[in-house]
Amino acid sequence: MARLARRALLGFAIYASVPAAVVVAGFLYGALGIWASILWGLGILAGLVIYGRQRLNQSRGE
């Protein structure tokens, strides 16, 4: 049961993080300009790539 709750919370966090990242990018754009927003997006994208690689390596058993 705890595993199911953990997976549900993780799924919610993934879906909630996307709108949160967009809102933060909008605030950065309004306060600091387009480059701050672009750098924020690149940071999010890099984090997703790193997370995806870790998950892929775990599924391969490395």
Side-chain angles (χ1 to χ4, degrees):
M1 187 67 158
R3 184 175 180 186
L4 179 62
R6 182 178 175 272
R7 291 189 70 162
L9 186 61
L10 180 62
F12 174 75
I14 290 170
Y15 287 115
S17 66
V18 173
V22 171
V23 168
V24 170
F27 281 125
L28 286 174
Y29 175 72
L32 302 173
I34 189 70
W35 287 109
S37 185
I38 290 171
L39 290 175
W40 174 259
L42 288 175
I44 296 293
L45 185 62
L48 289 173
V49 167
I50 290 169
Y51 177 76
R53 282 187 175 181
Q54 286 178 346
R55 294 284 293 185
L56 186 62
N57 286 341
Q58 286 177 351
S59 68
R60 287 184 180 172
E62 293 180 5

